[in-house]
Amino acid sequence: MWKDSYKKTRLERIELLKEGKYIDDKDYEYLKNSEVLSDDLADKFIENQISVYGIPFGIATNFLIDGKEYVIPMAIEEPSVIAASCNAAKIIKASGGFKTSLDERIMTGHISYYNVKNIDGAVNIINSMKEELIKLANDSQPNLIELGGGAQSLEVDIKDEFLVVYLHVNTLDAMGANSINTMLEVIAPIIQEKISAEKLMSIISNYSTHSLVVAECELDIEEKIGKKIEMACRFANSDVYRAVTNNKGIFNGIDALALATGNDWRAIEAGIHAYAARNGKYMSLSEWKYENGKLYGRLEIPMAIASFGGSIKINEISKISFDILGNPDAKTLARITACVGLAQNFAALRALVTVGIQKGHMKLQIKSFAIYAGAKLEEIDLITEKLKNAKHITIEDVKKVLLEIRK
Ligand code: MEV
């Protein structure tokens, strides 16, 4: 159904979403009319609102994840990202698609104390209060408890001059910042009453190491390319300059989906970057190995993505994104997001070790250059056609073609 969807018009693609029952009539009308966040609603989101910033919203197709087909909503301004996702997902689908795994989805908050008089004694006191503190934390969140979530465990540790209390909470489908921050603020003074110390702060941590997700794929691919992709992964682990760019490519997919679904992508990114440096060195988040004629790819990341709370589903496009995805819960969304990251990485590595990145990028870049050069909508296609075989294109080349067209 999605064959050559990039050649179709925007309205045809929206029709396809409706035909495939990815969206309902309300979503359909909203998309068809190109509606965006209203100023009234935007004004409720932030202080000093003056307008709404538009970012293209599109779909990536061909994703086969744990045996189920998905269409991926993405909000992204970079021209090549959706095309790369579709191509990579198509190749991966032909080899059986993605497999994912996820054990738990637990968020962590922490309270830090300083000027602790007897640090070992304080640790013992807090350890002896664990059950009471968890109960007090949970009493402050009856709704969360009723729905089956809540604080599950508490740990205490010494980090340099600080005594740190970690509270691990099952926040169900939410990121859970509000619940966790409230819980921490409830228990922090009670701990402080029992130990001789001062409180520095209490806040959720965006390093969600108890919410790890793994996406994997196994591909039939030409040996030469497979071995080079494996080497590209080793290179990223040897050189942080490459590791950062490798991981940036992964975030092209993750952030676009996080943004489309109304998630806090800064929180997600910050946690994943820290995970990339968990062994004391910033490394590639993905692993690629070529073995027995197959290329094996794996991405393991903390994934605090949510399907409830914050601006999720308040912004209409976020709601439509969830509809397109079949309204997954937070765990399923985490699995999907990791696959999108892995697909994006595969697309980039495959291009980098073969034809180079510019070939694919250039065609799409011409459109951005044309807009930048002041081309009208009807001139953009003409410019793209005229420059389609050029190897390297600068904004000056585009300006020249634009002048020629206008002569
Ligand atoms: C560009 O947005 C992303 C890439 O640089 C990623 C990579 O180099 O792996 C192509």
Side-chain angles (χ1 to χ4, degrees):
M1 120 179 237
W2 297 107
K3 193 167 180 300
D4 292 342
S5 57
Y6 68 99
K7 290 185 186 155
K8 296 196 163 55
T9 64
R10 189 182 78 82
L11 287 179
E12 284 169 340
R13 288 190 280 266
I14 298 171
E15 293 285 349
L16 279 179
L17 282 173
K18 193 173 166 220
E19 266 170 43
K21 299 202 175 3
Y22 290 94
I23 53 172
D24 59 20
D25 289 349
K26 195 170 160 240
D27 296 346
Y28 173 76
E29 289 301 325
Y30 196 89
L31 290 175
K32 214 174 80 174
N33 299 329
S34 263
E35 286 183 53
V36 288
L37 186 64
S38 69
D39 272 319
D40 285 350
L41 194 53
D43 197 42
K44 304 268 178 303
F45 271 97
I46 61 163
E47 288 286 301
N48 293 350
Q49 184 257 351
I50 52 167
S51 186
V52 171
Y53 186 100
I55 286 192
F57 175 60
I59 45 171
T61 55
N62 304 321
F63 276 80
L64 181 66
I65 302 172
D66 297 326
K68 191 172 166 197
E69 293 256 5
Y70 286 93
V71 169
I72 312 293
M74 295 174 112
I76 183 96
E77 85 300 342
E78 191 174 325
S80 56
V81 169
I82 290 190
S85 245
C86 294
N87 285 338
K90 192 172 173 189
I91 296 170
I92 294 168
K93 183 178 170 182
S95 299
F98 297 93
K99 306 259 176 309
T100 69
S101 54
L102 179 152
D103 287 339
E104 54 176 1
R105 186 183 183 281
I106 302 291
M107 301 294 154
T108 300
H110 54 0
I111 313 167
S112 48
Y113 297 94
Y114 66 104
N115 275 350
V116 189
K117 290 284 171 318
N118 170 358
I119 210 152
D120 292 330
V123 169
N124 287 338
I125 291 172
I126 298 168
N127 274 330
S128 72
M129 296 169 72
K130 267 186 188 175
E131 271 176 36
E132 177 197 347
L133 293 170
I134 290 172
K135 181 171 179 323
L136 284 167
N138 283 335
D139 285 349
S140 74
Q141 297 298 310
N143 290 347
L144 186 62
I145 306 303
E146 204 177 308
L147 293 168
Q152 296 197 334
S153 60
L154 185 142
E155 282 174 274
V156 53
D157 205 351
I158 300 161
K159 296 277 168 80
D160 299 324
E161 67 194 280
F162 305 104
L163 177 74
V164 190
V165 175
Y166 297 92
L167 187 68
H168 304 293
V169 184
N170 176 1
T171 56
L172 301 173
D173 284 316
M175 172 88 82
N178 280 335
S179 317
I180 293 185
N181 293 339
T182 306
M183 286 177 165
L184 299 174
E185 286 181 15
V186 165
I187 64 170
I190 294 164
I191 297 173
Q192 207 175 347
E193 261 174 33
K194 302 279 169 159
I195 62 174
S196 177
E198 296 188 57
K199 181 188 136 184
L200 182 63
M201 65 170 80
S202 60
I203 186 77
I204 189 171
S205 166
N206 294 124
Y207 192 32
S208 28
T209 52
H210 292 273
S211 297
L212 293 182
V213 60
V214 176
E216 292 173 288
C217 60
E218 203 179 84
L219 303 179
D220 298 309
I221 198 168
E222 200 186 307
E223 180 173 356
K224 196 168 145 216
I225 301 177
K227 285 190 168 162
K228 276 190 161 184
I229 290 180
E230 177 180 325
M231 210 190 295
C233 182
R234 289 206 304 276
F235 172 48
N237 287 334
S238 308
D239 181 352
V240 68
Y241 283 87
R242 175 58 207 153
V244 168
T245 315
N246 178 76
N247 294 348
K248 186 273 181 188
I250 293 172
F251 283 110
N252 277 345
I254 292 176
D255 285 359
L257 176 54
L259 183 56
T261 53
N263 267 280
D264 180 348
W265 77 97
R266 286 90 57 207
I268 294 169
E269 258 213 30
I272 301 178
H273 280 302
Y275 198 66
R278 67 193 177 281
N279 297 322
K281 179 183 174 195
Y282 188 93
M283 289 167 76
S284 165
L285 288 160
S286 55
E287 295 162 44
W288 293 96
K289 275 230 161 309
Y290 186 81
E291 262 168 13
N292 309 321
K294 300 245 182 222
L295 179 67
Y296 175 74
R298 183 174 192 276
L299 178 67
E300 177 183 299
I301 43 176
M303 184 45 74
I305 201 154
S307 63
F308 178 79
S311 73
I312 294 166
K313 297 183 196 166
I314 295 178
N315 186 328
E316 198 62 27
I317 289 289
S318 150
K319 187 198 153 283
I320 293 174
S321 294
F322 273 94
D323 286 347
I324 292 173
L325 289 164
N327 285 301
D329 61 11
K331 283 184 177 172
T332 310
L333 184 57
R335 292 170 187 267
I336 297 169
T337 311
C339 294
V340 180
L342 189 60
Q344 207 68 49
N345 184 230
F346 172 67
L349 294 182
R350 183 163 161 272
L352 286 167
V353 302
T354 54
V355 291
I357 210 72
Q358 286 308 85
K359 190 163 183 275
H361 272 204
M362 259 313 148
K363 210 167 126 223
L364 295 159
Q365 196 71 49
I366 296 169
K367 292 186 187 175
S368 303
F369 281 167
I371 296 166
Y372 190 71
K376 298 200 184 84
L377 285 181
E378 60 277 13
E379 292 168 332
I380 295 174
D381 286 344
L382 287 174
I383 295 172
T384 313
E385 180 58 30
K386 282 201 181 288
L387 288 172
K388 71 176 181 210
N389 294 323
K391 285 222 162 70
H392 293 284
I393 296 149
T394 64
I395 181 98
E396 295 311 319
D397 299 326
V398 173
K399 281 183 184 163
K400 233 185 264 169
V401 174
L402 181 60
L403 286 178
E404 275 168 29
I405 290 172
R406 285 181 177 175
K407 257 186 208 156

